[in-house]
């Protein structure tokens, strides 16, 4: 499918599965043109080995949404339950000459597997790197590569959702424990949960849930860096 500088939207609906194995091209190479938009949506969305999504532009990269929009917050865009970008699949939203790299979102409400490659580079004659998000609200497996560099501008951003949490004998930081009883949810990078606070909740008879949050620039790891001794 191709539409130079235009928009292509494939939507399998809230119960459907969308699988892409071919090439979708909305790139725009004429002077001053910006890459177009590609939206690939459904309940399950997959870019298979060999899939190519091209949204580069001479004066700026375009937009590619795979499985949803930024952090799933755009209610106008259907969020997938599961999203996969397979090894060998490529997404490009580069600025080819000038301007900034594009915007690429890979999202799901349950789990995202990102094994392919994404580029959203700034222009060779000036411009910043773009914005890339590879996120899964419940879990994320990100082993792919992202290139959002800029030769003559500021480097771009790669957002991996969610935050890391370290459980240790230090004061709690970047943790919300008041919104949902028994739940400790990270609200910032490098969150720390004081092991004493965790023990107190457990000894009080509370079932505890630790959530790595929805945001940040980390992989969502939970590390126990202190002994957990509960007297029941």
């Amino acid at each position: 499918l191709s539409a130079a500088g235009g928009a292509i939207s494939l939507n399998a609906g809230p119960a459907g599965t969308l699988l892409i194995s071919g090439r979708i091209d909305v790139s725009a190479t004429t002077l001053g043109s910006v890459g177009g938009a590609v939206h690939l949506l459904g309940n399950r969305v997959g870019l298979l080995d060999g899939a190519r999504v091209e949204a580069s532009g001479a004066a700026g990269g375009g937009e590619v949404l795979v499985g949803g929009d930024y952090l799933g917050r755009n209610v106008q865009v259907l969020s997938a339950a599961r999203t996969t970008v397979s090894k060998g699949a490529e997404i490009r939203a580069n600025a080819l000459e000038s301007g900034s790299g594009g915007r690429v979102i890979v999202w799901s409400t349950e789990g995202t597997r990102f094994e392919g490659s994404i580029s959203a580079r700034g222009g060779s004659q000036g411009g910043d790197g773009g914005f890339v998000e590879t996120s899964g609200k419940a879990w994320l497996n990100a082993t792919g590569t992202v290139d959002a560099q800029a030769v003559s501008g500021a480097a771009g951003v790669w957002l991996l959702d969610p935050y890391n949490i370290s459980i240790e004998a230090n004061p709690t930081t970047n943790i919300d424990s008041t919104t949902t009883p028994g739940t400790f949810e990270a609200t910032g990078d490098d969150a720390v949960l004081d092991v004493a606070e965790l023990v107190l909740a457990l000894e009080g008879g509370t079932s505890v849930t630790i959530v790595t949050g929805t945001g940040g620039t980390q992989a969502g790891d939970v590390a126990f860096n202190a002994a957990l001794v509960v007297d029941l």
Side-chain angles (χ1 to χ4, degrees), residues 172-191:
T172 294
T173 56
N174 293 335
I175 294 283
D176 175 14
S177 60
T178 60
T179 300
T180 305
T183 297
F184 298 89
E185 181 171 357
T187 59
D189 284 346
D190 298 319

Side-chain angles (χ1 to χ4, degrees), residues 5 26-37 54-63 92-103 119-130:
V26 294
S27 54
T29 58
T30 58
L31 184 65
S33 59
V34 176
E54 303 277 357
S56 299
E63 176 182 80
R92 298 190 183 100
N94 301 313
L96 301 175
E97 298 175 4
S98 61
S100 297
R103 182 174 180 269
S119 60
R121 296 189 298 269
S124 59
Q125 300 173 16
D128 299 333

Side-chain angles (χ1 to χ4, degrees), residues 93-180:
N94 301 313
L96 301 175
E97 298 175 4
S98 61
S100 297
R103 182 174 180 269
V104 179
I105 309 293
V106 179
W107 165 260
S108 72
T109 60
E110 293 180 9
T112 295
R113 188 177 303 278
F114 169 58
E115 301 173 336
S117 64
I118 298 172
S119 60
R121 296 189 298 269
S124 59
Q125 300 173 16
D128 299 333
F131 178 84
V132 177
E133 177 188 3
T134 56
S135 295
K137 188 171 184 179
W139 59 265
L140 168 67
N141 185 342
T143 58
T145 61
V146 168
D147 181 359
Q149 64 179 308
V151 176
S152 303
V157 173
W158 179 12
L159 169 64
L160 292 97
D161 177 31
Y163 308 103
N164 290 342
I165 296 177
S166 175
I167 299 170
E168 54 190 67
N170 283 303
T172 294
T173 56
N174 293 335
I175 294 283
D176 175 14
S177 60
T178 60
T179 300
T180 305

Side-chain angles (χ1 to χ4, degrees), residues 18-99:
L18 177 65
L19 299 176
I20 305 295
S21 60
R23 179 175 177 175
I24 298 174
D25 191 348
V26 294
S27 54
T29 58
T30 58
L31 184 65
S33 59
V34 176
V38 176
H39 294 184
L40 304 175
L41 308 172
N43 180 57
R44 293 175 181 261
V45 179
L47 268 62
L48 307 181
D49 183 12
R52 301 288 185 274
V53 179
E54 303 277 357
S56 299
E63 176 182 80
V64 179
L65 306 183
V66 182
D69 206 344
Y70 174 70
L71 293 179
R73 293 176 178 172
N74 186 350
V75 297
Q76 303 300 318
V77 176
L78 176 66
S79 290
R82 297 287 184 94
T83 299
T84 298
V85 178
S86 301
K87 185 176 181 179
E90 297 182 15
I91 301 172
R92 298 190 183 100
N94 301 313
L96 301 175
E97 298 175 4
S98 61

